[in-house]
């Protein structure tokens, strides 16, 4: 995925951070590939090149887009969701929002595990995410989380006058954990206004009512601001607890499903190559100055096999199309099965009985012949 | 995978346990499908039907098969590994075994996480594994663990006289954890004799010297026999700690790789279908009593395209074979690209300039024609 952010001149020193980000690889992080400046857009721009994950959407659009109108009920305040509202109205909105579209707790834990997994590696690498925002977190498929837009904040807010570019990282790491707390709270309430300072208490009550104590403790721990306490991702692990096992099981099952599908689809590549080989031989205009090459000898058998494969007709002369027939025959052909089939010449005057193994042998010989002709004088 | 175990008459009551096993699904368990009795082998047999995981091998054969001869040194006791040996010799064997082929600690943790994951679900379902033995644990690929042969012990040692078939389960669950401790110890020492009672202390010293404190604590916890203490898998989680994250990352990366491969192979399926369609039209002997159908009109263009695709020759008349050319052309063809190509008739007298989009249109029309002829009178 490419993201451009125009109008900036970078300080070359910040490339230390960019290099650290480029080295960071994790399955829950959108990999940064390259950062460069360009004038191609007619201004001073800096371009961040990331891996592209097709079909992903942000957590913001997935869980926080207020779309469904509530069965005809129109909200008098809904024109501008950010307009100031009476307190009780905000509270009601929160309650209604949560009641209508609560996320299953397992989904929230799934996100927490993946985000903490990424944060753990980021923090261990001496970096901070700084953009832990629903609009920057990508969701691929149903459940795979990836943190995006990493390194952008580091580059754009880079202070070249600071003695050490890494000086503020520990501070930003604590900010990451607070941001995670806000994110989880917002997800649990399905509303971004839930994390506004004046609503936090209401939101926490909501969480306590609907979700497990573990989830509430986790949010409390992350949002409580104790200056002397240095928080780390590892502290969250006991609250996540045995949910790690659930998560592992889910990912392993997904890998199994993919492997199953893959083993089915692998066959396609094989059949495709077989068809190309067969096609290379059938109807070839000439080989080694012999214009009848593809019509004689072994090639004639392959031509008849091609007809058997693709040009069968039913008794009353209608074409007979059956993909299963094609695939089955090609598989037996490729395996060199000893099974025999009847090939009929086009004039219906002669019938050849031949096994798949013999046909395969014909294919190999003929293709070898084409191949050696191809490389003869090279 | 099918495993048969002959010469037994089951008690029908034990089917309660079998049903519980059949309901148990987990990615680290070989799924039990069916249990039935048969006389097909000329005796009373009971057959257990499991999922089959091709290419798996047991932990026993992977890590405990003493194969490599140690550079010419022959062990005077090696003829029978179970023969009694002097104490110092066993200790030496242990030391030598571990020094030559120590398993990386991450591999052992990987196994622990997967096995505890399975045990957790098994125990939660009110069952006990009872066969946690290297010869019953399957390893698929490099790292996927699956517990096999489940339910067999339950059925074969079923005591019909006991008032409650589930009575002994809590006891067996504790046995599972002890068995896990022994297994981990054996893996760490790469030797099955390491877990014999008289060698355990030596083995633990070895583990302490080569591996982390966490691993040693885990083994100690599992092997220490305190009657009053009820051990559970959950107690092990703090010792596993952040390794859960490493594990998750590894599995997710594997799923990503599989998904990548799958998306590539999906393309093959598409190209394969395209080749079959094209082949169905090219050189069709006749359609609707018109023997020249495949040589005229749209079909003539497709025929020339086929030649362009598969029968190109170099300047000096040698066949020119290039799979990349075939795949690239087919992709442009399938996408209906506006790019134009030159098709030359076989007599080299006329040249057609045509876009992939037009060719695609020809294919669709022609295939439609074959298809409608095929279903006309059905």
């Amino acid at each position: 995925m490419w993201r451009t952010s125009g109008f900036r001149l970078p300080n070359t020193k910040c490339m230390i951070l960019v290099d650290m980000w480029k080295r960071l690889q994790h399955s829950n992080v959108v990999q940064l590939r390259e950062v460069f400046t360009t004038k191609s857009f007619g201004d001073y721009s800096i371009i961040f090149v990331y891996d592209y994950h097709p079909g992903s959407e942000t957590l913001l659009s997935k869980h926080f887009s207020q779309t469904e109108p509530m069965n005809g009920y129109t909200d008098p305040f809904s024109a501008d969701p950010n307009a100031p509202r009476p307190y009780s109205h905000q509270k009601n909105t929160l309650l209604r929002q949560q009641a209508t579209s609560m996320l299953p707790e397992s989904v929230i834990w799934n996100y927490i595990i993946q985000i903490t997994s990424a944060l753990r590696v980021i923090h261990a690498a001496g970096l901070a995410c700084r953009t832990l925002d629903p609009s920057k977190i990508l969701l691929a498929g149903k459940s795979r989380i990836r943190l995006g837009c990493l390194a952008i904040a580091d580059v754009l807010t880079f202070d070249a006058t600071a003695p050490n570019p890494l000086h503020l990282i520990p501070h930003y790491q604590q900010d990451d954990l607070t941001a995670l707390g806000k994110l989880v709270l917002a997800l649990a309430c399905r509303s971004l206004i839930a994390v506004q300072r004046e609503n936090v208490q209401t939101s926490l009550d909501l969480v306590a009512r609907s979700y497990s104590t573990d989830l509430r403790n986790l949010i409390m721990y992350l949002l409580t601001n104790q200056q002397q306490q240095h928080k780390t991702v590892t502290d969250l692990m006991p609250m996540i607890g045995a949910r790690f096992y659930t998560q592992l099981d889910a990912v392993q099952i997904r890998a199994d499903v993919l492997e199953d599908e893959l083993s089915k689809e692998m066959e396609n590549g094989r059949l495709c190559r077989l068809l190309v080989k067969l096609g290379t031989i059938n109807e070839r205009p000439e080989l080694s100055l012999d214009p009848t090459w593809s019509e004689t000898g072994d090639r004639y058998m392959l031509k008849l096999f091609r007809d058997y494969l693709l040009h069968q007709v039913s008794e009353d002369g209608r074409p007979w199309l059956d993909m299963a027939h094609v695939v089955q025959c090609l598989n037996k052909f490729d395996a060199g099965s000893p099974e025999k089939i009847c090939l009929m010449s086009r004039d219906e005057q002669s019938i050849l009985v031949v096994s798949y193994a013999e046909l395969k042998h014909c294919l190999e010989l003929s293709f070898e012949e084409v191949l050696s002709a191809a490389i003869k004088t090279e």
Side-chain angles (χ1 to χ4, degrees), chain A residues 155-205:
Chain A
V155 173
L156 299 194
T157 67
F158 188 75
D159 179 7
T161 62
N164 178 357
L166 302 176
H167 176 62
L168 280 169
I169 295 288
H171 172 72
Y172 291 136
Q173 290 181 348
Q174 295 301 307
D175 285 355
D176 281 353
L177 292 174
T178 313
L180 174 64
K182 285 186 179 166
L183 177 70
V184 175
L185 186 58
L187 281 170
C189 298
R190 277 303 282 279
S191 166
L192 290 178
I193 59 171
V195 295
Q196 289 169 14
R197 188 178 294 273
E198 68 272 23
N199 295 330
V200 166
Q201 198 49 54
T202 316
S203 311
L204 281 175
D205 292 346

Side-chain angles (χ1 to χ4, degrees), chain A residues 158-369:
Chain A
F158 188 75
D159 179 7
T161 62
N164 178 357
L166 302 176
H167 176 62
L168 280 169
I169 295 288
H171 172 72
Y172 291 136
Q173 290 181 348
Q174 295 301 307
D175 285 355
D176 281 353
L177 292 174
T178 313
L180 174 64
K182 285 186 179 166
L183 177 70
V184 175
L185 186 58
L187 281 170
C189 298
R190 277 303 282 279
S191 166
L192 290 178
I193 59 171
V195 295
Q196 289 169 14
R197 188 178 294 273
E198 68 272 23
N199 295 330
V200 166
Q201 198 49 54
T202 316
S203 311
L204 281 175
D205 292 346
L206 267 180
V207 172
R209 211 177 309 154
S210 321
Y211 293 104
S212 69
T213 327
D214 275 345
L215 190 63
R216 184 164 184 275
N217 288 346
L218 182 127
I219 298 171
M220 293 283 277
Y221 174 79
L222 289 172
L223 292 185
T224 312
N225 200 1
Q226 288 165 295
Q227 289 298 340
Q228 70 280 18
Q229 195 187 5
H230 180 78
K231 295 178 228 171
T232 68
V233 169
T234 322
D235 300 335
L236 301 174
M237 293 193 63
M239 303 181 217
I240 298 173
R243 294 177 190 96
F244 277 113
Y245 282 125
T246 322
Q247 184 79 2
L248 261 178
D249 189 34
V251 182
Q252 283 179 342
I253 286 174
R254 177 150 176 282
D256 285 353
V257 170
L258 285 170
E259 196 170 345
D260 266 19
E261 290 297 319
L262 187 60
S263 64
K264 281 185 237 157
E265 293 288 340
M266 293 282 279
E267 310 296 297
N268 287 335
R270 196 170 47 78
L271 294 185
C272 192
R273 284 188 293 277
L274 207 57
L275 278 172
V276 170
K277 272 192 182 178
L278 195 58
T280 308
I281 294 157
N282 290 151
E283 313 295 333
R284 174 166 286 277
E286 61 157 44
L287 186 80
S288 313
L289 303 176
D290 175 7
T292 61
W293 179 81
S294 74
E295 299 290 326
T296 53
D298 287 346
R299 281 79 61 195
Y300 181 63
M301 297 240 277
L302 291 175
K303 177 185 158 144
L304 294 188
F305 176 61
R306 192 268 324 269
D307 286 347
Y308 176 82
L309 200 64
L310 297 169
H311 299 152
Q312 294 216 11
V313 289
S314 59
E315 274 178 29
D316 53 352
R318 286 178 296 114
W320 182 71
L321 302 175
D322 185 354
M323 191 70 185
H325 166 73
V326 175
V327 171
Q328 196 181 41
C329 289
L330 280 177
N331 275 330
K332 287 180 184 167
F333 182 45
D334 196 26
S337 147
E339 191 180 327
K340 285 185 191 288
I341 51 172
C342 288
L343 300 179
M344 190 165 56
S345 67
R346 287 201 170 180
D347 56 9
E348 303 188 2
Q349 295 305 303
S350 56
I351 286 180
L352 284 164
V353 178
V354 63
S355 74
Y356 285 107
E358 290 169 80
L359 285 169
K360 193 183 177 189
H361 189 63
C362 292
L363 179 80
E364 278 164 6
L365 283 184
S366 309
F367 191 74
E368 200 59 50
E369 216 173 309

Side-chain angles (χ1 to χ4, degrees), chain A residues 49-118:
Chain A
V49 184
Y50 294 95
D51 276 356
Y52 176 55
H53 296 287
S56 299
E57 60 178 330
T58 64
L59 277 193
L60 185 71
S61 71
K62 175 83 181 179
H63 293 307
F64 297 111
S65 57
Q66 311 236 346
T67 45
E68 324 97 287
M70 287 154 206
N71 47 31
Y73 172 83
T74 45
D75 189 334
F77 295 92
S78 68
D80 176 9
N82 294 319
R85 305 171 185 198
Y87 173 73
S88 65
H89 174 75
Q90 283 205 341
K91 188 167 171 178
N92 285 344
T93 310
L94 274 179
L95 284 169
R96 199 175 56 224
Q97 184 66 25
Q98 217 220 9
T100 50
S101 59
M102 221 173 83
L103 281 177
E105 180 155 350
S106 59
V107 172
I108 301 181
W109 282 112
N110 174 12
Y111 294 168
I112 293 174
I113 292 176
Q114 294 189 61
I115 295 172
T116 52
S117 181

Side-chain angles (χ1 to χ4, degrees), chain A residues 39-51:
Chain A
K39 292 183 185 170
S40 327
F41 301 102
D43 56 18
Y44 292 92
S45 291
I46 176 162
I47 312 281
F48 294 85
V49 184
Y50 294 95
D51 276 356

